């Protein structure tokens, strides 16, 4: 049985192949040989060397698609290293190439890469939009599985979408439905939220919380995400009531009165939920935002700002 060659021996063979291609063949063959070398370096975790070799292939990569393919390989390395600065830089280069005439397949692949980047920097709203766009055209299995992308779509959509959009774009989405059959926890989490079954929702929420703590991209944002879910859940419940007792709300969620009191107090003090707690009567009073008054107040503030700017400009003109 032939002994497997060492990395150094394989690297020497790859470099000889590049040299032979340069002397006897064309740029296409040289590029292919260089990509083989870069792939070998990447396999043996020689990431910086691999990136340098990948970059060296760009001048010999004819066509926008071929150049984008090289950048995708580089992005995979930076993703593994969690090098967000370099990852973002190559995302920008991909976008420039795409604007110059990239095809739909690579455009869809790029959405997944960008969506994962948005997860890592906690831009949940943009990640949600990108994942929703990618579900039906997914083709980035080299960095993430289809089941994972659907899971991220569900998890981000519950926070970012209104109830009607969530039902239409996610719950009734054939691609999502197919995957959720294999993920009963996430399926029940979504459906109990839409059906206002808060006791079941909180039971599944505990499992989702545990899963988030182990997720490669979301674990560092777990506390933030859990807080956002709580805001969404409590806000949806309180929308149905002008007043509700702490006891009834606690029963609906299957928790103690003390737990609900503590949770709501924290979110009210940080102005994330519009309600008041009358602890003497044990009642929660919802205070819905008046959109018309809010628009009026915003108009007044913007008008004052504009007048101040005009006055400053007038004084400068007089000088």
């Amino acid at each position: 049985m032939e002994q497997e060659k060492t990395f150094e021996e394989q690297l020497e063979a790859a470099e000889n192949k590049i040299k032979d291609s340069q002397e006897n063949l064309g740029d296409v063959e040289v590029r292919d040989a260089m990509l083989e070398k870069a792939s070998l370096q990447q396999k043996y975790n020689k990431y910086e060397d691999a990136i340098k070799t990948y970059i060296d292939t760009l001048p010999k990569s004819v066509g926008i698609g071929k150049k984008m393919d090289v950048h995708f390989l580089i992005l995979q390395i930076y993703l593994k290293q969690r090098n967000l600065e370099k990852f973002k830089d190559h995302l920008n280069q991909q976008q420039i190439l795409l604007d110059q005439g990239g095809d739909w397949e690579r455009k869809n692949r790029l959405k997944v890469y960008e969506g994962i980047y948005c997860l890592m920097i906690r831009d949940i709203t943009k990640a949600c939009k990108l994942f929703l766009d990618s579900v039906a055209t997914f083709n980035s299995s080299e960095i993430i599985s289809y089941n994972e992308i659907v899971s991220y779509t569900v998890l981000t959509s519950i926070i970012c979408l209104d109830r009607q959009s969530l039902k239409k774009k996610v719950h009734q989405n054939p691609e999502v439905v197919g995957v959720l059959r294999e993920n009963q926890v996430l399926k029940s989490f979504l459906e109990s939220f839409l059906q206002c079954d808060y006791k079941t929702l909180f039971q599944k929420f505990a499992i989702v919380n545990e899963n988030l703590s182990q997720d490669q991209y979301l674990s560092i944002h777990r506390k933030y995400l859990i807080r956002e879910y709580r805001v969404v859940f409590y806000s949806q419940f309180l929308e149905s009531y002008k007043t509700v007792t702490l006891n009834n709300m606690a029963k609906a969620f299957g928790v103690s009165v003390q737990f609900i009191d503590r949770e709501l107090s924290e979110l009210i003090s940080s102005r994330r939920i519009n309600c008041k707690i009358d602890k003497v009567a044990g009642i929660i009073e919802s205070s819905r935002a008046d959109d018309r008054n809010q628009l009026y107040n915003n108009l007044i503030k913007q008008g004052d700002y504009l007048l101040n700017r005009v006055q400053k400009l007038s004084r400068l003109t007089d000088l």
Side-chain angles (χ1 to χ4, degrees), residues 230-231 233-235 237-238 244-246 249-250 253 257-277 283-285:
R230 287 159 52 205
V231 170
F233 300 159
Y234 297 144
S235 296
F237 177 85
L238 292 170
V244 63
T245 66
L246 279 166
M249 186 170 179
F253 282 89
V257 171
Q258 292 75 15
F259 179 88
I260 284 293
D261 186 11
R262 185 172 62 252
E263 290 267 287
L264 290 180
S265 296
E266 179 188 332
L267 295 173
I268 290 169
S269 65
S270 60
R271 299 184 178 181
R272 297 302 311 279
I273 289 182
N274 294 318
C275 67
K276 296 185 295 184
I277 300 177
I283 291 174
I284 306 164
E285 298 179 7

Side-chain angles (χ1 to χ4, degrees), residues 4-14 40 43-44:
E4 184 178 354
K5 294 182 179 179
T6 64
F7 167 70
E8 288 75 17
E9 291 172 333
Q10 294 179 68
L11 183 63
E12 183 180 0
L40 175 66
K43 177 183 176 182
Y44 283 89

Side-chain angles (χ1 to χ4, degrees), residues 28-44:
V28 173
E29 290 77 14
V30 172
R31 176 183 182 274
D32 290 343
M34 292 174 71
L35 288 175
E36 286 183 23
K37 175 185 174 181
S39 178
L40 175 66
Q41 292 168 323
Q42 185 175 350
K43 177 183 176 182
Y44 283 89

Side-chain angles (χ1 to χ4, degrees), residues 47-58:
Y47 294 127
E48 297 307 316
D49 292 337
I51 289 169
K52 183 179 182 303
T53 306
Y54 280 132
I55 291 174
D56 289 343
T57 68
L58 288 171

Side-chain angles (χ1 to χ4, degrees), residues 16-261:
N16 289 335
K17 186 174 181 180
I18 293 172
K19 184 177 179 181
D20 179 65
S21 298
Q22 289 172 334
E23 293 174 351
N24 303 305
L25 302 171
D27 284 347
V28 173
E29 290 77 14
V30 172
R31 176 183 182 274
D32 290 343
M34 292 174 71
L35 288 175
E36 286 183 23
K37 175 185 174 181
S39 178
L40 175 66
Q41 292 168 323
Q42 185 175 350
K43 177 183 176 182
Y44 283 89
N45 300 329
K46 310 292 184 180
Y47 294 127
E48 297 307 316
D49 292 337
I51 289 169
K52 183 179 182 303
T53 306
Y54 280 132
I55 291 174
D56 289 343
T57 68
L58 288 171
K60 299 186 180 299
S61 300
V62 179
I64 292 172
K66 295 293 186 183
K67 292 181 187 294
M68 290 188 71
D69 288 343
V70 173
H71 281 293
F72 277 127
L73 292 168
I74 296 172
L75 283 169
Q76 290 168 34
I77 294 177
Y78 285 134
L79 180 62
K80 187 171 184 177
Q81 293 180 324
R82 298 294 190 270
N83 189 330
L84 296 182
E85 184 179 351
K86 293 291 186 180
F87 192 87
K88 177 61 175 174
D89 180 53
H90 281 271
L91 276 180
N92 292 336
Q93 292 183 53
Q94 288 285 63
Q95 189 59 54
I96 292 172
L97 289 170
L98 188 65
D99 293 341
Q100 292 174 357
D103 57 41
W104 279 99
E105 179 187 355
R106 292 178 176 86
K107 180 179 181 180
N108 292 329
R109 283 181 69 193
L110 187 59
K111 285 181 180 179
V112 176
Y113 281 74
E114 187 177 1
I116 291 174
Y117 172 76
C118 289
L119 281 186
M120 292 192 292
I121 64 168
R122 201 192 285 179
D123 188 346
I124 305 300
T125 301
K126 189 172 183 181
C128 175
K129 182 181 183 303
L130 290 165
F131 290 149
L132 281 169
D133 290 344
S134 303
V135 167
T137 56
F138 178 77
N139 59 352
S140 302
S141 56
E142 70 276 5
I143 58 166
I144 192 171
S145 71
Y146 186 62
N147 286 5
E148 287 176 310
I149 210 74
V150 170
S151 295
Y152 288 140
T153 302
V154 174
L155 291 170
T156 56
S157 294
I158 290 175
I159 293 175
C160 301
L161 299 184
D162 60 74
R163 184 185 177 86
Q164 185 175 357
S165 298
L166 180 63
K167 190 171 184 179
K168 181 179 179 181
K169 295 181 179 180
V170 180
H171 185 247
Q172 296 176 350
N173 186 313
E175 285 83 9
V176 173
V177 170
V179 171
L180 289 187
R181 290 196 190 100
E182 304 172 14
N183 190 337
Q184 289 299 312
V185 170
L186 198 57
K187 181 176 185 289
S188 182
F189 184 57
L190 173 63
E191 291 181 346
S192 58
F193 174 67
L194 290 171
Q195 295 165 5
C196 301
D197 179 0
Y198 297 106
K199 186 174 290 188
T200 301
L201 176 65
F202 253 41
Q203 291 171 355
K204 303 306 175 184
F205 187 37
I207 302 174
V208 169
N209 186 359
E210 179 63 27
N211 292 340
L212 287 175
S213 67
Q214 301 172 20
D215 188 272
Q216 59 178 329
Y217 301 123
L218 297 180
S219 58
I220 60 173
H221 307 306
R222 184 181 64 85
K223 289 184 178 179
Y224 167 82
L225 292 170
I226 295 304
R227 183 182 177 88
E228 293 306 302
Y229 284 126
R230 287 159 52 205
V231 170
V232 171
F233 300 159
Y234 297 144
S235 296
Q236 177 173 283
F237 177 85
L238 292 170
E239 277 178 6
S240 304
Y241 303 93
K242 185 171 179 61
T243 61
V244 63
T245 66
L246 279 166
N247 188 52
N248 284 342
M249 186 170 179
K251 284 182 178 178
F253 282 89
V255 296
S256 68
V257 171
Q258 292 75 15
F259 179 88
I260 284 293
D261 186 11

